[in-house]
Amino acid sequence: MSDTTLDLSGWTCPAPLRDQPVVVMGHGGGGALSAELVDHLFAPAYGNEIMGGLADSAALNLGGARLAFSTDSYVVRPLFFPGGSIGDLAVNGTVNDLAMSGARAAYLSCAFILEEGTDLSTVGRVAQAVGAAAEMAGVTVATGDTKVVDAGHGDGVYINTSGIGLIPDGVDIRPQRATPGDVVIVSGPIGMHGVAIMSVREGIEFGVDISSDTAPLGGLVETMLGVTADLHVLRDPTRGGVATTLNEIASASGTGVVITEHALPVPEPVANACGFLGLDPLYVANEGRLVAFVPRQHAEAVLAAMRAHPLGAGAVAIGECVTEHPGMVVSRTRFGGTRVVDLPIGEQLPRIC
């Protein structure tokens, strides 16, 4: 027998670490299962440093320009909900992913996957929503594609959008830049999108109208960059909510995060709905909010600028980045204690975007 020693340093696990031999809904929920799918299956298969950054969009150098590039797919059910539709999400979601790199979206692609038997009037409504949302966001839908799948193999309409935008000089926004001392800011009330979807999907009446917060955040980010180009991190807390976003940033940067429970901007209807259903608003999806990690010396000025913008009027500081408990998020409770805000396994409510 040969006495050659195997070098295992370059080996990677070809599948998620949890004992899941097949895809489950949790793999699409933005939580721990999603992270394992990316970390142990997709990232090793693609094998490049750009993918390894795991930001909302990739920052690329091309022809002397810094571009942000992002893609996302939308499988929300139902197609239309209070405050928006799958068409709005398809535009705003990709525009916002680009904005989280500091880029203003310029062009989108838009691909429709249609189920055989879907009313063309429904497809037309969705297409009109895409066009209206693109106009509002100031972005051009420059190319697209259409595919049709057999009846029973889709939910009427799925959409994929990809987008590109220019990153301004001097802007370096990514999760690895979170630094102890940073102030953590959220741009407004949280949990509205997930609760809006839940109310129409399950036919639950909460006694008040709750609408999705879906909106394009490019203009708000430009306002923030007008105060300082030195924004450390921006993320939009979609699947898995604010809790998942904070955990991803803490893990990527190797820092700890402390938030103050009573500072969280949870609207009363969302709090009541979550209390009724046994959900935590921190884990409920948003589609028109951002989380920012801002150097302390700029935090007050950035907050003031955000509050002067329509999409940041409800902005509040909810915590800070710390050296303690690296990679972990904790919340100071109203009673003076602390609790760990962990990464969820899957998603409390699947198919919300």
Side-chain angles (χ1 to χ4, degrees):
M1 292 181 62
S2 169
D3 61 355
T4 301
T5 301
L6 288 176
D7 180 8
L8 305 181
S9 61
W11 287 28
T12 57
C13 178
L17 296 179
R18 293 181 194 274
D19 185 18
Q20 294 287 353
V22 298
V23 174
V24 297
M25 288 301 293
H27 283 122
L33 283 176
S34 291
E36 290 180 358
L37 195 66
V38 172
D39 292 343
H40 301 288
L41 193 152
F42 292 123
Y46 302 158
N48 65 80
E49 294 181 359
I50 296 173
M51 171 69 75
L54 298 179
D56 285 338
S57 59
L60 310 172
N61 292 304
L62 187 64
R66 287 188 72 218
L67 297 177
F69 179 41
S70 185
T71 189
D72 208 340
S73 299
Y74 300 86
V75 296
V76 64
R77 179 171 58 86
L79 298 177
F80 303 94
F81 46 82
S85 70
I86 191 173
D88 301 282
L89 293 184
V91 173
N92 294 338
T94 296
V95 164
N96 292 348
D97 282 347
L98 296 173
M100 298 307 105
S101 293
R104 186 66 181 262
Y107 297 101
L108 297 182
S109 69
C110 184
F112 276 65
I113 297 94
L114 306 175
E115 182 184 8
E116 181 184 25
T118 302
D119 287 342
L120 286 177
S121 60
T122 298
V123 179
R125 285 180 64 193
V126 174
Q128 289 292 326
V130 168
E135 183 177 1
M136 179 174 291
V139 66
T140 299
V141 180
T143 187
D145 181 51
T146 304
K147 294 291 189 295
V148 177
V149 299
D150 296 337
H153 288 76
D155 269 348
V157 179
Y158 296 154
I159 300 178
N160 172 273
T161 50
S162 297
I164 57 173
L166 285 172
I167 301 174
D169 291 340
V171 172
D172 181 17
I173 301 172
R174 49 194 170 88
Q176 293 79 8
R177 290 198 68 213
T179 303
D182 284 353
V183 175
V184 180
I185 297 171
V186 66
S187 64
I190 63 173
M192 296 173 65
H193 176 71
V195 172
I197 293 290
M198 193 182 320
S199 66
V200 291
R201 182 185 297 175
E202 307 300 337
I204 301 172
E205 295 291 339
F206 296 118
V208 294
D209 293 329
I210 302 175
S211 295
S212 170
D213 58 358
T214 178
L217 297 173
L220 176 60
V221 171
E222 284 190 351
T223 296
M224 297 167 68
L225 288 171
V227 176
T228 177
D230 190 27
L231 302 177
H232 286 173
V233 188
L234 296 175
R235 294 296 286 264
D236 58 335
T238 52
R239 295 177 305 169
V242 171
T244 296
T245 293
L246 294 177
N247 272 280
E248 290 172 347
I249 295 169
S251 177
S253 61
T255 61
V257 176
V258 177
I259 59 175
T260 303
E261 191 171 83
H262 71 262
L264 294 170
V266 181
E268 185 176 356
V270 170
N272 291 341
C274 288
F276 176 73
L277 297 167
L279 303 178
D280 186 337
L282 271 173
Y283 294 91
V284 177
N286 312 270
E287 288 292 344
R289 301 288 180 249
L290 65 80
V291 172
F293 281 55
V294 180
R296 186 169 297 279
Q297 65 267 30
H298 301 303
E300 286 300 324
V302 169
L303 260 176
M306 293 175 71
R307 289 167 176 165
H309 190 282
L311 295 178
V316 292
I318 63 169
E320 61 182 338
C321 192
V322 298
T323 57
E324 295 81 14
H325 49 78
M328 183 181 296
V329 181
V330 302
S331 175
R332 295 192 183 103
T333 70
R334 296 177 183 273
F335 304 104
T338 59
R339 67 180 179 94
V340 175
V341 179
D342 207 353
L343 189 69
I345 299 299
E347 169 63 69
Q348 293 182 112
L349 181 69
R351 302 279 303 278
I352 45 74
C353 64

